[in-house]
Amino acid sequence: MSVAPSASTQAAQNDQFGVRPLSPVMGAEVTGIDLSAPLSADRFGQIHRAFLEHKLLVFRGQTLSRDEILGFAGRFGPIEGHNVRGRDGQALDALHSVSNVDANGELSRTPHINANYYWHSDKAHYEVPSLLTLLYAVELPPNGGETEFANMERAYRAIPDPLRTRADSLRVINDFEYAMVNAGKVLNEAEKVPSVTHPMVRTHPETGARSLYIGMYTKGVVGMPEPEAQSLVAELMGHATQPEHLFRHPWQLGDVVIWDNRCLVHRAVKNFEITRFRRVLLRCVVKGSRAV
Ligand code: OGA
Ligand code: MN
């Protein structure tokens, strides 16, 4: 006869460090960790290994100060600055909020930071793109408002040949303005930044796994006419974002989520009453290495 664990046994189990996979596609919940307390090198090593294995980690029920958020993210590498400007016209702080308010502070269907609702890897428009992003849930709608992720390693492996072999040899042109215009934003001259190029298929610097590296910033392909490049990118994104490569995180207040921008793309899902409920997350980004 099996005996169901009592509530107290379950609470005790939750106090213990553990890594519980959330789906076969990616993602694990880390239990028994208070990120406001100091993390030993051993414990951080376990978290780091889980991060490489699962690509996305969830830490529930956290209560963190700004310094504690930056302190935890900073264990993975240097905290990155931002070229995106806030509602006040100034570059965002290293730790900033993402929310559904527009330039006037009103809840909006096209919020000030609207690009998050399109598939992308963070800072793919930088020469040296990011390693990971951390989000911490501060205010949430009662339903919906998830973040959706695609596993670009699985996506890469599933691209049919000869398309995959073709992708292996290409370089993409990523452009900030292109992405912003597609997200409905007009940039002034001071906000524009030069395009960069990256391999269309990159190799993870820590695991050696190959993944497709495209998204909303991908304006072109080196040596290819733009319309042809954009239809190739759209075709590949269609492959990449099929349901079998996806994971959705349903947010709870106090969740900290970190994900690996070197092998995932993500987007916010506009499936909630966006003009009625506030959705506010604190965010910081850790700098990575050149995509190769
Ligand atoms: C981001 C982002 C998605 C979300 O912060 O980089 O894309 O769900 N956020 O808010
Ligand atoms: Mn993002």
Side-chain angles (χ1 to χ4, degrees), residues 98 116 120 122 133 135 146-147 259 266 268 279 281 283:
V98 290
N116 284 355
H120 64 282
D122 288 335
T133 301
L135 286 180
E146 298 94 355
T147 308
W259 69 82
H266 61 279
R279 177 182 187 272
L281 303 124
R283 172 182 192 260

Side-chain angles (χ1 to χ4, degrees), residues 44 67-79 132 134 284 286:
F44 179 71
D67 284 349
E68 286 162 351
I69 297 170
L70 289 168
F72 173 57
R75 293 291 288 268
F76 289 86
I79 302 292
L132 68 74
L134 178 153
C284 65
V286 173

Side-chain angles (χ1 to χ4, degrees), residues 140-141 143-147 249-251 268-272 279 281:
L140 294 173
N143 298 295
E146 298 94 355
T147 308
H249 177 64
W251 288 98
V269 185
K270 240 178 223 181
N271 61 351
F272 64 106
R279 177 182 187 272
L281 303 124

Side-chain angles (χ1 to χ4, degrees), residues 199-219:
M200 182 179 267
V201 177
R202 68 181 290 186
T203 303
H204 196 289
E206 295 184 85
T207 68
R210 288 172 72 68
S211 66
L212 188 60
Y213 192 55
I214 56 175
M216 77 173 305
Y217 293 105
T218 310
K219 178 185 186 187

